[in-house]
Amino acid sequence: MRQQWLSLGGLVATAFILSGCAGFGVDDAYRQPSFDHQSTRLTGITWTGVNGSSQVKLTNPNAYRLPITEFAAQLWLDGEPWIDLGTPTLNGLAARSSTTLEFDWTVTAAGLLQRARDAYAAGEANLELKLQPTLSVPVLGARQLDWSHDFTVPVPKSPQVSLADWRVEDIGFTSLTLALDLVVTNPNRFGLATGPFDVGIEADGRSLSRMSLSEMDIGAGVTQRQTTEVSLGFGGLGVSLLEALRSGEWPSNLGMNWSGTMRSPDLGLDLPSLTGSISQ
């Protein structure tokens, strides 16, 4: 019986504190916790998407602890929920204290193609980090907070390499030297710094020759042109090379490929090595 009276007394005391004197309601004794966006940054990037992290500080200004019964954390796209970030391991807010929460997220190009083709085409997506914790406030009951923060992430796309022009620089009895004008286009909304590009020419699955392009700094949406030379032996390619010289068209049986390493100075991140075909 004594324990029941103590429990009842504690409830009455809490209600009294929250109620206060006449004209001072229980709502006046509760101050809503506040959110403070600390940072949002990219932690990694591939050719298929980006990884990132957002930090948010949640402050309880009240003189009592606020238990958390639910916590919805999501990334929204175009005004609708898109990616569920899971529930933070936080069961309450201590009195008059702040807690920093960290949310890791991943945005994939494939996901954007399914949900927002315009964002993929634009090369960036406007996202909204939305947090909705539900608090258990003494006497008042459940109170849901609703906070959001907007930010933009890039959508990575592979550089494009194409053969703009070619010409004969020298011709001998067994081989000829070609000058190749190659164009490298950066379709991204961020700049790229490349290492030397390795360029190869092949026919029927066998390598005929390899060359390289110098390092490049290519701004967002910028195209750069480089000229390199390659020597090709006539061998079994004699007929196709002669036809190419007559028509001015690159031989259809000669394929070209490229590979290289890249990083983004704008984002401060390295990108994975990449291999691709050269369009003609």
Side-chain angles (χ1 to χ4, degrees):
M1 180 66 70
R2 174 178 170 79
Q3 185 177 2
Q4 292 178 348
W5 277 108
L6 288 176
S7 298
L8 179 59
L11 180 60
V12 171
T14 302
F16 179 78
I17 293 173
L18 292 176
S19 299
C21 58
F24 187 78
V26 290
D27 283 325
D28 297 315
Y30 166 69
R31 296 170 58 196
Q32 180 169 290
S34 61
F35 293 87
D36 183 19
H37 175 255
Q38 300 292 290
S39 66
T40 292
R41 62 188 181 90
L42 295 182
T43 57
I45 185 169
T46 68
W47 296 112
T48 58
V50 295
N51 299 320
S53 177
S54 296
Q55 286 190 342
V56 179
K57 185 169 69 173
L58 181 53
T59 300
N60 175 17
N62 297 285
Y64 46 88
R65 183 179 183 274
L66 292 173
I68 295 178
T69 57
E70 294 181 50
F71 202 133
Q74 298 172 317
L75 282 186
W76 284 41
L77 176 67
D78 292 338
E80 295 182 357
W82 184 35
I83 299 174
D84 189 353
L85 302 181
T87 302
T89 55
L90 182 68
N91 57 17
L93 302 176
R96 293 198 177 107
S97 68
S98 298
T99 301
T100 298
L101 305 173
E102 185 166 0
F103 300 92
D104 296 325
W105 41 265
T106 297
V107 175
T108 64
L112 280 174
L113 277 172
Q114 293 177 355
R115 178 70 178 269
R117 289 182 175 271
D118 291 344
Y120 179 83
E124 61 183 14
N126 297 316
L127 303 177
E128 181 182 9
L129 173 63
K130 198 171 187 66
L131 305 181
Q132 293 176 308
T134 300
L135 310 177
S136 178
V137 182
V139 180
L140 296 180
R143 289 290 188 273
Q144 186 183 71
L145 306 180
D146 194 337
W147 177 88
S148 63
H149 174 75
D150 298 331
F151 62 97
T152 302
V153 297
V155 180
K157 299 178 182 179
S158 169
Q160 301 158 0
V161 184
S162 60
L163 178 63
D165 196 11
W166 65 279
R167 55 196 173 275
V168 176
E169 291 292 302
D170 187 35
I171 187 167
F173 291 107
T174 59
S175 66
L176 68 134
T177 300
L178 302 177
L180 308 178
D181 294 333
L182 296 173
V183 170
V184 182
T185 301
N186 175 16
N188 294 287
R189 299 295 291 266
F190 52 86
L192 290 174
T194 76
F197 271 19
D198 183 59
V199 177
I201 298 178
E202 59 183 27
D204 300 324
R206 66 187 173 93
S207 177
L208 301 179
S209 184
R210 305 208 70 81
M211 67 218 84
S212 64
L213 298 181
S214 303
E215 298 178 357
M216 292 173 280
D217 288 316
I218 313 174
V222 171
T223 294
Q224 284 199 13
R225 187 180 183 121
Q226 276 201 37
T227 299
T228 186
E229 291 188 354
V230 59
S231 293
L232 291 175
F234 288 114
L237 299 175
V239 175
S240 61
L241 287 176
L242 288 175
E243 290 179 352
L245 292 176
R246 293 193 191 100
S247 65
E249 300 291 333
W250 182 259
S252 59
N253 63 328
L254 292 185
M256 300 182 69
N257 56 70
W258 66 273
S259 62
T261 59
M262 275 161 278
R263 73 180 311 273
S264 173
D266 296 342
L267 304 178
L269 295 170
D270 293 330
L271 288 122
S273 299
L274 192 63
T275 299
S277 298
I278 296 177
S279 59
Q280 301 153 20

